[in-house]
Amino acid sequence: MATLPKQTGLCCKFQIAWVGQCKGLTDNGWCSEHEPLRCCVCGKKATHNCERGMGGLTCGFNLCDDCIHSPTESKHITKEEANRIEAALKAEKEAKATSRKSSVQRKDKDDVPLNLLELLKDPEGYTIQKLYYLELVHGLMGFFPAEIPAQKRIVITTDKDLLKKVWTRLERRRSKMGSTLGYVGHGVAYPNTDESPSKAEQNEPIRMLTEEEFITLCAAETDPDENPAFRWTFGLIGGDRLHEETFADMIAKA
């Protein structure tokens, strides 16, 4: 009869997300499955996997005791960095609460109001205009606009003809030109005129695309596939690529 390996009764210390401590028996604190695992952030010994929920699933990345899922993004960072982020979020929350009772505008690094609520304290230099943007047409939930990937910025402008130039450079997918009213001035737009405090505070400025910037971005495009000047926001997968003539006709009729 084969001899079974000696078991000490000591359970592996690894914590499995939504399950608890590993039941594997070991003589050094880690079972053969979990002993070699390393933290996805710093490379130290992994002690658990991330239990953050991700669209109905568990994140599951291996982490050590000093690293954590980011409180603001879908990535993992050190707890020290997470603490700095949380402190900044707390400070911003307090600054917003104070600003709601003040007539002084809070501005960003480009010296424009942080949001529409701040702008409305002194709207001089801004006017309500019609803004245009591009988005994919689909029957699902979600908004998938054209963007400038290098800047993670939605393409928005008051110039329809300029927007059509952008459209011709995008992947030929079923799409449309949308429009909305917004406050415009100093090169930025607040793409909604809803002045209710909760909505206005969420309405942050977007730098508008200009003809000059369009030319510069196109000139810098070395590889349309790997490094495009413009693209559709990721997230919508489908085989809706259009024939070149159909795509051109769609743009012409917009």
Side-chain angles (χ1 to χ4, degrees):
M1 178 182 291
T3 302
L4 296 176
K6 183 178 179 180
Q7 296 180 336
T8 64
L10 180 66
C11 284
C12 172
K13 294 184 288 186
F14 194 88
Q15 294 291 323
I16 304 171
W18 298 103
V19 173
Q21 186 172 347
C22 173
K23 303 300 182 184
L25 298 179
T26 174
D27 58 3
N28 68 350
W30 307 99
C31 69
S32 58
E33 177 185 354
H34 295 124
E35 195 280 330
L37 299 185
R38 294 291 177 265
C39 176
C40 67
V41 179
C42 65
K44 292 195 296 187
K45 176 74 189 71
T47 59
H48 64 286
N49 42 43
C50 183
E51 62 181 20
R52 177 72 67 87
M54 300 284 288
L57 301 174
T58 300
C59 178
F61 276 78
N62 298 319
L63 295 169
C64 69
D65 290 335
D66 296 323
C67 296
I68 193 172
H69 197 112
S70 169
T72 58
E73 299 179 82
S74 296
K75 67 177 185 178
H76 300 87
I77 57 178
T78 64
K79 285 184 177 179
E80 183 179 2
E81 185 178 353
N83 289 337
R84 288 197 295 268
I85 292 173
E86 289 173 346
L89 291 173
K90 181 180 178 181
E92 176 62 16
K93 183 178 180 180
E94 292 173 351
K96 281 184 175 180
T98 300
S99 185
R100 290 175 198 136
K101 303 173 184 178
S102 171
S103 60
V104 179
Q105 284 183 324
R106 294 180 67 214
K107 296 186 176 183
D108 65 15
K109 60 182 178 59
D110 296 318
D111 200 37
V112 298
L114 281 176
N115 52 56
L116 181 57
L117 190 65
E118 298 295 334
L119 168 65
L120 293 173
K121 293 177 181 180
D122 181 12
E124 184 177 356
Y126 293 84
T127 57
I128 294 178
Q129 297 183 42
K130 197 167 188 176
L131 295 161
Y132 299 95
Y133 56 89
L134 298 169
E135 63 174 319
L136 292 175
V137 174
H138 56 89
L140 304 173
M141 295 288 289
F143 173 55
F144 302 93
E147 66 175 6
I148 302 171
Q151 302 171 23
K152 297 182 180 179
R153 172 178 132 220
I154 294 175
V155 177
I156 193 166
T157 179
T158 56
D159 187 341
K160 286 183 68 175
D161 291 334
L162 175 58
L163 196 61
K164 286 188 176 184
K165 293 180 183 178
V166 173
W167 208 349
T168 62
R169 301 183 68 90
L170 294 167
E171 184 181 9
R172 298 195 302 272
R173 301 182 66 178
R174 197 168 301 281
S175 46
K176 68 178 181 179
M177 181 184 294
S179 66
T180 184
L181 292 177
Y183 283 85
V184 175
H186 303 284
V188 301
Y190 300 78
N192 195 310
T193 57
D194 190 333
E195 297 182 5
S196 60
S198 60
K199 293 289 183 63
E201 195 169 58
Q202 296 175 31
N203 188 352
E204 298 178 348
I206 300 174
R207 186 155 60 89
M208 293 192 298
L209 181 69
T210 64
E211 183 76 35
E212 292 75 18
E213 185 182 20
F214 172 79
I215 294 171
T216 299
L217 289 170
C218 292
E221 185 183 72
T222 55
D223 187 333
D225 294 320
E226 297 296 326
N227 184 33
F230 307 97
R231 74 178 180 198
W232 297 113
T233 300
F234 290 144
L236 184 64
I237 301 173
D240 61 346
R241 187 173 174 84
L242 302 178
H243 187 275
E244 186 174 353
E245 291 182 3
T246 303
F247 188 65
D249 185 58
M250 182 178 66
I251 295 174
K253 292 178 178 178

